[in-house]
Amino acid sequence: MNNLIEIDFKPETADDYLVTPFLKAVNDKNFAFTTNEMKIIVGKTGQGKTYHTANTFIPDLIKKGVKLIVVTVPQTEILDGDLFIDALENMPVHVVFHPKAALKHLKKGRTVCLVTSHNSLVVQRGNRALRKWMMTSGDEFAIFVDEAHTWLISNWLNYRFTNGTHASPSKYEAKLFKALE
């Protein structure tokens, strides 16, 4: 049969969708000119976004001299702090869970990975001083926002279109969006 074509099939992995594009972006010579722009990591559930954030992305950023890496999640119940502690145990970084603890280490010149909830970063007491440090220190920082659509909608008018609900949450305040703006 001359009409059969053999296809060399290689399954696509998390490296194809997550690791390679991330490393390519941050290693690009023009990356420094694209700061203050949101970069979005997209992958299906279980593909390895959180795993690679802890085990690949954060270690790479630490090696590049980033002083503060923030990982936020919508709820503390889904926060896997042990994943970050274990992944970063041999790195020169302090893994903390509260903005005040992060600021304390940063003021001592230490590299910090803050793993917390969106609420803790933006709404709770003690976070303003950390956000001020981000704006004034001159040190590089990175923020990974898990489930960004839940807190980064620009205003309440866009909320229902983004979250797929027909409700009009007029009390939605876009706190994380405004804090990172």
Side-chain angles (χ1 to χ4, degrees), residues 5 11-12 28 36 53 59 64 119 129 131 136 145 151 164 170 172 179:
I5 300 171
E12 294 173 330
D28 187 285
N36 297 322
T53 297
K64 288 178 173 34
N119 185 52
R131 290 199 326 261
T136 61
V145 180
W151 275 64
S170 59
Y172 178 76

Side-chain angles (χ1 to χ4, degrees), residues 6 20 22 24 32 44 65 82 103 107 113 116 148 164 170-171 179:
E6 184 177 336
T20 301
F22 178 87
K24 181 180 176 186
K44 63 184 180 182
D82 288 341
L103 188 59
K107 287 182 175 181
C113 177
T116 192
S170 59
K171 294 186 185 240

Side-chain angles (χ1 to χ4, degrees), residues 21-144:
F22 178 87
L23 296 176
K24 181 180 176 186
V26 298
N27 290 320
D28 187 285
K29 64 181 180 175
N30 293 316
F31 183 71
F33 302 110
T34 67
T35 57
N36 297 322
E37 292 179 8
M38 181 185 294
K39 314 292 190 285
I40 299 176
I41 299 170
V42 179
K44 63 184 180 182
T45 301
Q47 191 167 12
K49 297 178 299 291
T50 304
Y51 174 84
H52 284 293
T53 297
N55 288 280
T56 308
F57 308 155
I58 292 174
D60 187 66
L61 293 173
I62 291 168
K63 290 175 188 171
K64 288 178 173 34
V66 176
K67 289 303 274 186
L68 171 64
I69 297 105
V70 178
V71 179
T72 70
V73 298
Q75 300 170 324
T76 55
E77 294 82 8
I78 63 170
L79 187 67
D80 188 358
D82 288 341
L83 171 67
F84 291 88
I85 290 169
D86 293 345
L88 301 170
E89 69 182 338
N90 295 318
M91 298 291 300
V93 63
H94 293 268
V95 179
V96 299
F97 300 96
H98 301 286
K100 284 184 180 180
L103 188 59
K104 178 182 119 182
H105 288 292
L106 290 164
K107 287 182 175 181
K108 294 179 179 181
R110 299 172 179 153
T111 300
V112 174
C113 177
L114 170 61
V115 184
T116 192
S117 69
H118 302 336
N119 185 52
S120 177
L121 180 65
V122 179
V123 179
Q124 293 180 5
R125 296 182 75 190
N127 58 40
R128 283 193 177 133
L130 180 63
R131 290 199 326 261
K132 182 178 178 183
W133 178 91
M134 289 184 215
M135 302 298 217
T136 61
S137 72
D139 287 325
E140 292 184 353
F141 63 91
I143 303 174
F144 291 86

